[in-house]
Amino acid sequence: MTTMTIAPALTGGHDPAYYAGRADAYDDHQDGTTLQVLTVRLSYLIDQHPDVHYVTGYAARVLEIDAEQRHITTNDTYWETAA
């Protein structure tokens, strides 16, 4: 007879809704949604979404996208002025 072992979900201590929010922001951005539109969507989510974990995850990914774009802009600007 075998015994089934249930493996816990690896969520890093976050609610699964947090990762759902991150995934939705990632998918929206991959589909071509600009950072400005993502920021507006985030403001609506903050005001109206009932799950704070989802909103926190969405916000975390939007902030990461912002940081990535700022880094790329800074790096491109540096190399253009250094050349």
Side-chain angles (χ1 to χ4, degrees):
M1 176 176 176
T2 61
T3 305
M4 187 167 126
T5 349
I6 308 288
L10 301 175
T11 60
H14 292 289
D15 189 279
Y18 172 85
Y19 295 106
R22 286 184 61 85
D24 285 349
Y26 175 86
D27 290 342
D28 290 345
H29 185 62
Q30 291 296 79
D31 290 341
T33 306
T34 64
L35 178 61
Q36 291 78 16
V37 173
L38 289 174
T39 305
V40 170
R41 286 183 185 172
L42 176 59
S43 68
Y44 286 120
L45 287 173
I46 289 170
D47 289 341
Q48 299 174 356
H49 201 281
D51 192 343
V52 70
H53 299 292
Y54 178 89
V55 176
T56 304
Y58 198 95
R61 184 62 194 135
V62 170
L63 289 172
E64 287 173 2
I65 293 167
D66 180 47
E68 290 167 3
Q69 289 185 0
R70 288 175 186 268
H71 177 74
I72 290 168
T73 302
T74 302
N75 194 31
D76 289 349
T77 304
Y78 171 77
W79 288 110
E80 287 176 6
T81 57

